[in-house]
């Protein structure tokens, strides 16, 4: 006979309020800007669907790009207005008071260039990879971090090809490869990562899916079907998304039914647009978000989401392709939330705003940060 112990009703009540509380959460996110030297700290309430600005920190750098380290205590970014390409290391352990800890001028293999991107490896030794654009931008830089995660020093400078300019990188989940989107060279590169040192060695490069397609940013995932790493690439010039798989030797090959998926309605000229970002939903990796920007503020940008196959990880369906409320300016960057596959944050710097998007419901929350029209570059979610 099974004995059923009576449940204490007070305990039940406590338990149920605890469960409710875990679903009702406030999430912090930070957003940088292209010219004011502020990082804004925002809060999204996922019950009330409100997005509010909590504060801003004066950091002395216009962070056109920000990225988080593995334990979300450090941020690494660019200084858009610096005379020489400068990487900035921030402490974000107190999101109400973000502090600069280090600035490193880099890019010695390039000239008249600007740094635009950084990525922190989420596995030890937590190496940071930085990229350049504009001018002669064929180079990239590898940085070590100290025991606290603060950017330490340049450990490698390397070059791609004359005419190359890499605007974004991603690391495979197994930590073996860094893939790089070479916008001006119309290439996607693979480098092998030495897991002890973080140093890179070149493996291969594959052409974009069409002439001048302009690979810009990319994200990676593992196919749960065959365990192969997948790479989704946003093509700036072609206004589209392409997907690749990575062989064991690090070489890429296109996968899926189509060569690429459009980020622009049929009939519109890609010359008027420059697709921006691609982001993998989390925690379940069920969707791929992608965005496009208009080059002219009298036009609108676009946002799209794709459903990914549960096992294959491949794009199965484009769920929507919708206009954004503005051109997006230099941004229309999208950052998937870490807590809900259906939620992501979109930024715009033509008027200065951040929106929270839901994959089915569209805009859930909207926050204007006028900030002399220089906000908002990209969002990172702290929780
Ligand atoms: C942590 O950061 C502080 C302040 O920058 C520095 O003095 C200290 O050496 C760092 N610790 C390690 C283990 O790197
Ligand atoms: C933007 O579009 C408007 C309307 O078509 C046009 O008048 C203007 O010249 C365009 N601006 C640029 C910078 O192309
Ligand atoms: C958006 O950022 C770009 C890059 O710095 C800048 O040129 C542009 O003026 C900004 N947009 C507005 C409306 O301030
Ligand atoms: C906006 O611009 C005005 C006028 O140039 C300036 O006084 C003010 O400090 C600026 N605000 C910010 C947040 O940069």
């Amino acid at each position: 006979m099974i004995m059923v112990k009576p449940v204490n009703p007070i305990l039940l009540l406590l338990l149920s309020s605890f469960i409710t509380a875990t679903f009702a959460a406030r999430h912090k996110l930070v957003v940088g800007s292209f010219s004011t030297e502020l990082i804004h700290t925002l809060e999204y309430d996922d019950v009330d669907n409100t997005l509010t600005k909590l504060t801003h920190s004066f950091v002395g750098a216009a962070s056109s790009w920000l990225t988080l380290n593995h334990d979300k205590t450090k941020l690494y970014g660019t200084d858009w207005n610096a005379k020489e390409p400068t990487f900035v290391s921030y402490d974000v352990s107190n999101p109400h008071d973000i502090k600069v800890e280090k600035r490193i001028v880099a890019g010695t293999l390039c000239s008249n260039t600007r740094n635009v991107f950084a990525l922190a490896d989420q596995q030890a030794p937590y190496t940071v990879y930085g990229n350049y654009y504009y001018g002669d931008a064929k180079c990239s830089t590898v940085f070590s971090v100290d025991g606290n995660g603060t950017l330490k020093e340049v450990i490698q400078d390397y070059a791609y090809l004359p005419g190359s300019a890499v605007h974004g990188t991603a690391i495979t989940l197994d930590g073996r490869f860094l893939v790089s989107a070479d916008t001006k060279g119309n290439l996607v590169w693979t480098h092998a990562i030495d897991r002890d040192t973080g140093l890179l060695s070149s493996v291969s490069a594959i052409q974009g899916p069409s002439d001048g397609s302009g690979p810009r940013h990319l994200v990676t995932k593992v196919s749960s079907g065959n365990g192969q790493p997948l790479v989704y690439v946003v093509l700036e010039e072609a206004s589209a998304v392409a997907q690749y798989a990575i062989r064991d030797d690090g070489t890429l090959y296109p996968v899926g039914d189509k060569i690429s998926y459009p980020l622009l309605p049929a009939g519109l000229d890609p010359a008027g647009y420059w697709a921006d970002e691609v982001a993998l939903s989390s925690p379940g990796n069920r969707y791929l978000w992608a965005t496009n920007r208009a080059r002219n503020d009298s036009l609108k940008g676009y946002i799209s989401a794709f459903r990914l196959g549960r096992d294959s990880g491949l794009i199965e369906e484009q769920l929507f392709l919708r206009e954004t409320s503005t051109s997006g300016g230099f941004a229309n960057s999208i950052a998937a939330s870490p807590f809900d596959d259906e939620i992501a944050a979109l930024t715009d710097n033509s008027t200065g705003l951040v929106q929270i998007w839901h994959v089915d419901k569209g805009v859930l929350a909207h926050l204007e940060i006028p900030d002399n029209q220089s906000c908002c570059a990209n969002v990172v979610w702290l929780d």
Side-chain angles (χ1 to χ4, degrees), residues 59 69 73-76 87-93 97-104 146-152:
V59 292
N69 73 338
T73 56
K74 305 291 176 186
L75 269 175
Y76 312 109
F87 290 86
V88 186
S89 186
Y90 302 96
D91 184 85
V92 73
S93 44
D97 185 14
I98 298 170
K99 289 198 167 80
V100 175
E101 290 188 314
K102 181 115 175 179
R103 294 171 58 93
I104 299 182
D146 73 15
N148 300 348
T150 305
L151 217 49
K152 190 175 173 194

Side-chain angles (χ1 to χ4, degrees), residues 36-38 40 56 58 371-372 374:
T36 52
E37 300 184 335
L38 305 174
H40 303 274
H56 56 243
F58 291 93
D371 189 10
N372 288 343
S374 102

Side-chain angles (χ1 to χ4, degrees), residues 368-380:
E368 284 172 28
I369 308 177
D371 189 10
N372 288 343
Q373 294 197 331
S374 102
C375 194
C376 300
N378 79 311
V379 150
V380 299

